[in-house]
Amino acid sequence: MSNVVMQTRIRLARNLKKYPFPCRLNTAGKSEVAEEIIKAVKNSNSPLARELDVLYVKDLTEPQRISLVESHLASPEFMSNSAGRALILSKDRAMSIMLNEEDHIRLQILSKGFELEKAYDIADKLDTLLDENLDFAFDEKLGYLTQCPTNLGTGMRASVMLHLPALKSSKAIGRIAGNLSKLGLTIRGAYGEGTEPQGAMYQLSNQVTLGISEKSAIENLKNNAEQLVNQELQAQKRMCQSIETQDSIFRSLGILKTAKLITCKEALELLSNVRFGISSGVITDISVDTIDILINEIQPATMIVNKNEQISPRDRDILRAEILNNKLN
């Protein structure tokens, strides 16, 4: 199961009762909201408060901003505008709070593998902690009030990151997406709405937040994710009986081990194919954890941040090949 489910995310949208939504605030107003939330977090009784970093978007370099998006710690939209925005991060990067994105608070918990209940439990405890120190906008009939009506109610988006190379290859994703939408779920690219799937990575999440409990939404997502995982594993088993598929997997691994120059797009496709080989049992001497770490490390902005210097696109392609060679040989 964990070979297909790469990551679990729980996101909660909240707004402070006494302020307009961020779209109606100027920079000074957003900064005031951010500082009030940061103060409430720091002054809480939770030990977690001592394990947090506060990053002001205006102080980040462009590579740092993009790297945080590549790591799924912030949304592309959030990093596109620095005015009055801040990001609260836990030391282990399992929790992030975007301040003044679409809503005043976007609390996010990330967990490796299929950990929906665990991730929600952490998010719920943090939400309760914030609620003790902040007055959230809430209506008895509508639930938590959010800028976008599609988030009204629980304000929760639960999602799982899935690696679906066999279903993508068989072109079944379109049909599956249509069926899932009837069940209150949506499947998108790895970086959410409007993004294309890279390396056969998809994000499956709940669409309905109004008139349904968090528990029911998570249960619905979990049940359908399990069915999707089973479909993927069955498709993998069928495909890997073919020597052509096995050849493609080992050719991908061979290129990653020996290439001297490789783009991010090509590397992601090849890593996806190798991950497919590991998941299906064709490759037995490499772990999916190794591949998942590489998927993050070879992203363009993340490479610049890790290197701590500007790198030209060509030099990035050379360095990327070196990283892949070293980790996979």
Side-chain angles (χ1 to χ4, degrees):
M1 181 74 73
S2 61
N3 285 350
V4 176
V5 182
M6 301 174 71
Q7 188 181 67
T8 298
R9 185 191 74 175
I10 298 291
R11 192 203 71 197
L12 301 177
R14 300 288 185 261
N15 288 282
L16 305 192
K17 188 175 182 179
K18 65 179 181 179
Y19 293 98
F21 293 131
C23 66
R24 302 294 300 274
L25 286 170
N26 58 23
T27 300
K30 290 178 183 178
S31 297
E32 185 178 330
V33 168
E35 291 307 316
E36 183 167 335
I37 296 167
I38 291 167
K39 182 180 178 181
V41 172
K42 287 185 174 180
N43 290 344
S44 69
N45 294 322
S46 171
L48 179 68
R50 298 190 293 272
E51 300 295 323
L52 298 175
D53 295 321
V54 178
L55 308 178
Y56 293 93
V57 178
K58 64 180 177 61
D59 297 333
L60 300 176
T61 64
E62 184 177 3
Q64 287 172 330
R65 295 185 193 188
I66 298 173
S67 178
L68 288 164
V69 174
E70 291 171 349
S71 301
H72 302 282
L73 294 170
S75 67
E77 193 282 328
F78 180 72
M79 286 300 177
S80 67
N81 185 345
S82 64
R85 289 179 168 176
L87 183 68
I88 302 176
L89 282 176
S90 62
K91 299 291 186 185
D92 62 1
R93 299 307 193 245
M95 185 207 78
S96 67
I97 305 176
M98 290 182 283
L99 304 183
N100 293 313
E101 193 220 36
E102 189 175 75
D103 296 290
H104 296 145
I105 294 172
R106 284 288 177 91
L107 167 64
Q108 175 179 275
I109 299 298
L110 293 175
S111 181
K112 185 171 175 57
F114 203 17
E115 299 277 2
L116 279 166
E117 289 90 350
K118 177 183 175 182
Y120 175 71
D121 184 56
I122 296 170
D124 185 49
K125 287 176 180 176
L126 288 169
D127 182 42
T128 301
L129 185 71
L130 289 172
D131 195 26
E132 290 172 355
N133 296 281
L134 298 165
D135 191 9
F136 289 150
F138 184 84
D139 181 87
E140 289 297 330
K141 292 182 179 179
L142 297 175
Y144 289 102
L145 303 182
T146 56
Q147 182 176 312
C148 182
T150 59
N151 290 321
L152 282 171
T154 62
M156 183 193 76
R157 295 286 180 187
S159 65
V160 286
M161 187 79 71
L162 302 168
H163 183 230
L164 305 173
L167 292 176
K168 181 185 179 184
S169 178
S170 64
K171 296 181 171 52
I173 294 294
R175 170 183 56 80
I176 289 169
N179 293 335
L180 288 170
S181 67
K182 298 173 186 176
L183 299 170
L185 301 170
T186 184
I187 189 165
R188 298 167 172 151
Y191 293 94
E193 189 172 1
T195 62
E196 292 295 318
Q198 295 181 326
M201 292 182 286
Y202 294 85
Q203 190 181 108
L204 178 68
S205 57
N206 67 299
Q207 278 185 310
V208 181
T209 59
L210 185 61
I212 185 172
S213 69
E214 292 92 338
K215 183 179 179 180
S216 296
I218 288 172
E219 193 66 26
N220 183 44
L221 175 61
K222 183 179 180 180
N223 291 338
N224 283 282
E226 287 174 346
Q227 291 182 37
L228 197 53
V229 167
N230 288 331
Q231 290 180 52
E232 170 65 24
L233 291 175
Q234 289 171 16
Q236 287 186 15
K237 187 175 180 180
R238 289 193 299 271
M239 286 182 66
C240 284
Q241 292 175 355
S242 159
I243 194 168
E244 286 81 8
T245 298
Q246 296 174 30
D247 181 68
S248 173
I249 289 168
F250 282 109
R251 281 177 183 270
S252 296
L253 180 57
I255 293 171
L256 291 169
K257 283 184 172 183
T258 59
K260 299 303 176 187
L261 198 74
I262 191 166
T263 66
C264 184
K265 182 178 180 181
E266 182 185 9
L268 285 173
E269 292 300 325
L270 295 173
L271 284 168
S272 173
N273 213 20
V274 171
R275 200 181 191 285
F276 172 24
I278 298 167
S279 177
S280 58
V282 173
I283 294 175
T284 58
D285 58 346
I286 302 171
S287 71
V288 289
D289 286 344
T290 297
I291 302 301
D292 292 348
I293 290 168
L294 282 170
I295 286 171
N296 183 58
E297 284 187 356
I298 63 157
Q299 299 285 342
T302 298
M303 289 174 63
I304 293 172
V305 171
N306 289 343
K307 189 76 172 174
N308 199 27
E309 63 181 67
Q310 280 295 333
I311 317 172
S312 70
R314 182 177 181 277
D315 287 342
R316 282 204 304 267
D317 292 348
I318 294 171
L319 177 60
R320 183 178 293 111
E322 291 175 358
I323 293 170
L324 291 164
N325 295 171
N326 291 336
K327 288 288 178 70
L328 294 174
N329 279 307

